[in-house]
Amino acid sequence: MLPVGPRPVTLRGMGRRTQAERDAITVEIGYAVFAAALVCGAVAGPALLFDLARPLERGLGPVLV
């Protein structure tokens, strides 16, 4: 008899994820969100602090608002 439904996907390819594996994935997602915020701040920060050329201001206007 074949099992019903899809088998859970895991890091090791068999069985369910352990609590440690789930925690590791959560930490990796947290690092990714932090890195994205850092990059966004590095790009938008100087634009908020310094006057930009008029065409660049118009282009970034919707992002900075």
Side-chain angles (χ1 to χ4, degrees):
M1 184 171 169
L2 296 173
V4 177
R7 188 171 159 186
V9 177
T10 65
L11 298 175
R12 290 176 282 156
M14 63 176 97
R16 295 190 179 274
R17 288 189 177 116
T18 65
Q19 183 63 44
E21 289 171 330
R22 289 192 304 264
D23 290 345
I25 292 169
T26 302
V27 168
E28 287 181 26
I29 291 170
Y31 281 139
V33 169
F34 176 75
L38 193 64
V39 168
C40 184
V43 171
L48 293 173
L49 292 175
F50 303 109
D51 286 336
L52 297 175
R54 189 61 58 186
L56 189 57
E57 269 184 9
R58 267 187 262 133
L60 287 178
V63 176
L64 300 176
V65 173

